[in-house]
Amino acid sequence: MARDPDINEPTREFPGYPTAESLHARSDAKPDAPTPANGQARSLLWVLGAAALAVVVLLGVQATGILPDFRNPFAKEQTDRSQPPLLKSIRDLSRYVAAEGNFQVVVDLQNDRNNVPEFLLNQRTLFVGAGSVEAYVDFAKISDGAVVVSPDGKSVEIKLPAPQLGETNLDLEKSYVFAEQRGLLNRLNDLVAGDPNRQQQVYQLADERITAAARDSGLTARAEENTRKMLEGLLRSLGYEKVTVTYTAS
């Protein structure tokens, strides 16, 4: 079929380009109404933009110092409800601490029941205890006539009480539980009742072991020698040529 040359119709292979008249007709037409999906997306963008603007404004106000710093609402806080210290007594001391020994002991304590499996009822604690013991001479116990000066004033004799050992000072910062084994019933009891003094027994054993070690360490003999040297140096500086220090039996 012959094509009429007066008809300007685009073919399928070569579509026609828009003309000025067609563009003008499109601009005069009403725009398509937005779809619900486009409306929701625009609303979400508005909300996000408003939230971002609010954050920027708050950060700016906080930077100026008008508002306090924001803190994590779930941050860890520590509250100290301890009672104030109570002074119970005061005593005057007249001790001369002449020596001190530092000790460390390992306590391996196990508490269980006969004929009961260890996985049910058992408590074994490996505790490392560190403490110190002082050896001192109590000058308050010096009796009358304990200081004798020679007639020529060149020598002096002093009788002192024998050195004593002070109480064991267990250093809690250097003492620690190295390992602990507990049975099922022991753990259940901790959940139900609890025992805040559970470690008291190992502390007591560590204290006793350190005290025994101090008695066998020759600490009192070192205290005797140090006290003697201190008094000899002091009295010789006062003009005495001969200083004799003896200790009475405790």
Side-chain angles (χ1 to χ4, degrees):
M1 180 177 180
R3 178 178 179 86
D4 189 354
D6 295 333
I7 299 176
N8 187 14
E9 181 180 358
T11 64
R12 295 182 180 178
E13 291 79 5
F14 301 97
Y17 293 97
T19 61
E21 291 78 3
S22 62
L23 292 176
H24 182 70
R26 290 184 181 180
S27 62
D28 293 340
K30 294 183 179 180
D32 297 337
T35 61
N38 293 334
Q40 293 178 359
R42 291 180 180 177
S43 300
L44 181 59
L45 289 177
W46 276 105
V47 172
L48 293 177
L53 180 61
V55 172
V56 172
V57 172
L58 288 176
L59 291 177
V61 173
Q62 181 182 359
T64 59
I66 300 177
L67 294 179
D69 295 336
F70 295 102
R71 298 188 303 172
N72 183 3
F74 304 102
K76 181 179 179 181
E77 294 185 358
Q78 184 179 23
T79 303
D80 186 2
R81 295 188 176 90
S82 304
Q83 299 297 321
L86 177 62
L87 178 62
K88 300 185 67 175
S89 64
I90 296 178
R91 62 175 180 174
D92 296 330
L93 300 179
S94 55
R95 298 178 176 181
Y96 172 68
V97 179
E100 182 184 49
N102 296 308
F103 303 88
Q104 187 180 69
V105 62
V106 177
V107 178
D108 188 355
L109 179 64
Q110 181 173 358
N111 293 321
D112 53 12
R113 296 288 182 88
N114 295 331
N115 302 321
V116 178
E118 291 186 359
F119 75 90
L120 285 179
L121 192 60
N122 176 46
Q123 179 178 339
R124 183 178 180 182
T125 304
L126 190 63
F127 179 76
V128 178
S132 61
V133 179
E134 294 180 346
Y136 65 93
V137 177
D138 192 354
F139 287 167
K141 294 183 178 180
I142 297 178
S143 59
D144 295 337
V147 180
V148 178
V149 181
S150 63
D152 57 1
K154 295 183 178 180
S155 61
V156 60
E157 181 179 355
I158 302 177
K159 294 181 179 180
L160 298 176
Q164 304 177 45
L165 294 178
E167 297 180 355
T168 300
N169 181 22
L170 194 63
D171 191 345
L172 298 181
E173 293 184 356
K174 298 180 180 180
S175 303
Y176 56 94
V177 176
F178 181 78
E180 187 177 31
Q181 297 178 356
R182 296 179 61 76
L184 179 61
L185 296 180
N186 299 93
R187 296 178 184 275
L188 291 177
N189 182 68
D190 291 343
L191 294 176
V192 175
D195 185 6
N197 299 320
R198 181 163 52 88
Q199 302 295 343
Q200 187 64 28
Q201 190 174 8
V202 293
Y203 292 158
Q204 184 66 29
L205 282 177
D207 188 280
E208 295 175 358
R209 300 278 181 84
I210 292 177
T211 301
R215 287 195 297 263
D216 299 335
S217 65
L219 198 58
T220 54
R222 178 68 66 87
E224 287 184 1
E225 184 66 20
N226 293 341
T227 304
R228 181 181 291 108
K229 291 180 179 179
M230 183 272 296
L231 291 177
E232 287 177 354
L234 176 63
L235 295 175
R236 284 175 180 172
S237 66
L238 296 177
Y240 295 98
E241 299 178 358
K242 181 180 180 182
V243 178
T244 303
V245 179
T246 59
Y247 296 92
T248 59
S250 55

